[in-house]
Amino acid sequence: MPASLATEYEAFPNSLEHVADWQIYSDCPTLGEGNTPLVRLDGLAEELGVRALHLKNEGTNPTGSHKDRMSRFVVQRALQIGASTVAAASSGNAGVSLAAYAAHAGLNCVIVTTPDMNPNWRRAIEMHGATLLAAPTPQRRWQVLAEKIRAGEWYPATNFILPAVGSNPFGVDGYRALAFELFLQLGPEAGTDIVVPTSRADLLWGIARGYRDLETAGFIDKRPRIHAVEPFGRISRVLAGADYRGHFEGHSALTSIGGSTVTYQALEAIASGGGSAVVVEDEMTCADQKRLARCGVYLELSSAAALTGLRKLVCEGSAGPDAVVVLVGTSSGFSEYQAFSHPITPIE
């Protein structure tokens, strides 16, 4: 083993009995995030033609999304350095999560959003006591955040610069736990492919890094392929040769994984395990959201994109009959706002 890897190996605990021992903070304020269920989807596995299919249901976290894993550590870091206010640019899950964890730790919280924020998310954020500010454009959100952060008034949870680099690194470290949990949950049936709905790739990188740590520590011999699912070409265009620092405009109903930027961490995560990036369409993702709900798992539309992405991987031959696949269901569908055009069927 090279000296550099030997040194890194010595930094890891000898077991995975306590996942917290592998994280940047082993003891900090928590609302009970993590240890989310891994759901077998045998019918869908047969339908798609893969050996096994599982869904890591992050919608069961306290505020309904994987963002809770990040918020816990952002808040702990803010407490550690004496910050009084945490802040994020968010129109949804990240804002709700940070507001909840800040409230739990007794910190102030500011969420910079846009005027068309989903009312369900708005209500949750305000109920947690956070301050909401509406910027006219997503880009302006980052400008506002940057001004306050550089003035020392707010401690950041999310990205606020261009080219984008991703969220707070202390928070992103929280996502490594998904790899550790999957290792424990899958047991001898180790996964070959993990499919992740992706925007700026915080979660993608965290999972990839977690598996690298497991390999370095000698727990696994081979890392799974980590695949990014996106609503329009961004990462896929960069992998085809475009400059990752560019602007990639697109429109989609998959708002939680929208955005026009690509981060270097996305490219590193994909390269580390020989993964890929796949683009999915809104119409097929809507159908897959319903398909997953019929299997008992109701996910946010952007999360259901993981299944649509897997369909493409199978069609392309990237996931074959021997594949053991994990879909990461990043958030619950209960956060979505939907106005119905028809009444509930009345009874006499």
Side-chain angles (χ1 to χ4, degrees), residues 39 147 264 267 304 324 331:
V39 182
E147 291 165 5
Y264 185 79
L267 309 180
V324 176
S331 57

Side-chain angles (χ1 to χ4, degrees), residues 4-5 17-18 42 66 74 91 115-116 192 291 301:
S4 59
L5 285 184
E17 183 179 353
H18 301 291
D42 293 336
H66 69 293
V74 170
S91 293
D116 58 351
T192 60
R291 183 72 180 87
L301 184 63

Side-chain angles (χ1 to χ4, degrees), residues 113-133:
T113 187
T114 52
D116 58 351
M117 174 180 242
N118 174 328
N120 291 347
W121 280 321
R122 174 179 175 175
R123 176 171 171 77
I125 290 169
E126 291 180 334
M127 286 292 287
H128 288 307
T131 299
L132 269 172
L133 302 176

